[in-house]
Amino acid sequence: MAGFGRYAAWVELRTYRNTRIAGVGHLAACVTPLLAAGIVVERATARRAVPRVLVTALATWAVVGARSLAGEGRAMAAALAAEDLGAARARLPHLCGRDPEHLSAGELGRATVESLAENASDAVVCSLLWGAAFGLPGLLGHRAVNTLDAMVGHRSARYARFGTASARCDDVLGLVPARVTGALACLLAPLVGGSSGRAWRVMWRDHAAHPSPNGGWPESAWAGSLGVRLGGVNDYAGRVEERPTLGDGGLPTAHDVRRAARLVPLVSWASAVVAVGICALRGAAWGIPSFKLRGG
């Protein structure tokens, strides 16, 4: 989606005004071409199984970044295990926008686990489920909205109004997938040395404490699965947020970060199974051929 990011930045140069209306126009101008392309390709390959499978596979590979996300987590775990805070701080911007300059090893671990959990939901599960529900347009449309949220949806002097439409649209699209992500993480907790029961308890208890309507579900599920504490003070280039605590225990260690990274592909594969199930149900609902009985 790097090409889409460049296109969105080009559009922003022409649509930016410090108003919410301008933000709506920016969202529409960026997302509509991708939705239209998805619809055209879907219709063009409707009766051609092989091209449709290839196009869908290529789009899914381009959109879903589970492997690279888990790789960033493993790289951070390695840096923390080696007690190389310089390398760990240099890696953090690959995952989130926090200022890493003065973060301790525990805070770097916390930032990594929170980012892995939230991005597993936003960048993997959400795209897969929307793709399963609405095909190529759903897959591409969600990823476009999620990319715009990352670019202009954060609260800052420049985007406080302009980014509202992108941020709210991303929130709406993530409502169900975020909860699915949390549930899958809880179910799979034993595979990373955690407890499903503890993960469920922490998620139900703490998810509402998160300021995002969606972020609390995956983050509290990861916290419960790993038995660690998330939340606290976050510095985004001078903009400071203080978030409530999610989970119990101490800050994540290098070992915990490694386990958090292992949970990402597990949840991703499980969500792919859910997506296949949705596709099967969609096909059963809309693709059942009609047969005429012939007498005699």
Side-chain angles (χ1 to χ4, degrees):
M1 295 298 286
F4 174 77
R6 289 192 291 271
Y7 167 70
W10 178 83
V11 173
E12 182 184 339
L13 291 175
R14 289 151 180 81
T15 59
Y16 180 81
R17 301 289 187 279
N18 191 21
T19 65
R20 288 185 172 88
I21 293 298
V24 172
H26 178 69
L27 175 66
C30 290
V31 176
T32 300
L34 217 56
L35 282 175
I39 292 170
V40 168
V41 172
E42 282 248 314
R43 290 184 175 179
T45 59
R47 298 183 182 277
R48 301 175 183 178
V50 174
R52 183 160 193 166
V53 169
L54 291 175
V55 168
T56 303
L58 179 62
T60 303
W61 174 82
V63 164
V64 176
R67 186 173 181 180
S68 60
L69 181 62
E72 289 294 338
R74 290 192 297 270
M76 178 63 80
L80 292 174
E83 300 183 356
D84 188 345
L85 292 186
R89 288 168 179 156
R91 293 215 70 88
L92 189 63
H94 298 179
L95 286 164
C96 65
R98 287 178 217 177
D99 184 354
E101 185 177 356
H102 301 295
L103 295 184
S104 65
E107 288 295 326
L108 288 164
R110 175 174 75 84
T112 301
V113 173
E114 290 171 355
S115 298
L116 289 173
E118 191 163 4
N119 281 296
S121 176
D122 288 347
V124 181
V125 178
C126 203
S127 292
L128 286 174
L129 296 188
W130 278 101
F134 295 102
L136 198 58
L139 183 72
L140 296 177
H142 167 262
R143 197 67 184 97
V145 171
N146 186 244
T147 301
L148 288 177
D149 179 53
M151 294 178 69
V152 304
H154 51 87
R155 294 187 177 277
S156 65
R158 177 175 174 83
Y159 297 125
R161 295 183 178 86
F162 184 75
T164 298
S166 295
R168 294 294 177 267
C169 188
D170 188 63
D171 286 344
V172 170
L173 295 181
L175 284 173
V176 173
R179 288 147 179 80
V180 172
T181 303
L184 292 176
C186 291
L187 289 171
L188 296 168
L191 298 183
V192 294
S195 162
S196 287
R198 179 184 63 198
W200 280 111
R201 287 193 298 273
V202 169
M203 184 177 71
W204 282 110
R205 184 191 70 195
D206 294 344
H207 74 271
H210 198 282
S212 164
N214 300 325
W217 292 92
E219 288 189 26
S220 59
W222 254 254
S225 297
L226 303 174
V228 299
R229 171 173 55 85
L230 303 179
V233 177
N234 299 337
D235 185 345
Y236 298 94
R239 181 174 59 86
V240 177
E241 293 183 3
E242 185 167 359
R243 297 186 176 180
T245 298
L246 306 177
D248 307 305
L251 291 172
T253 64
H255 176 61
D256 296 324
V257 172
R258 192 173 293 110
R259 293 164 61 212
R262 283 169 51 203
L263 192 54
V264 171
L266 291 172
V267 169
S268 301
W269 280 110
S271 68
V273 172
V274 174
V276 169
I278 293 173
C279 287
L281 290 173
R282 188 166 63 113
W286 300 106
I288 298 176
S290 58
F291 296 95
K292 293 183 179 179
L293 295 177
R294 296 181 180 178

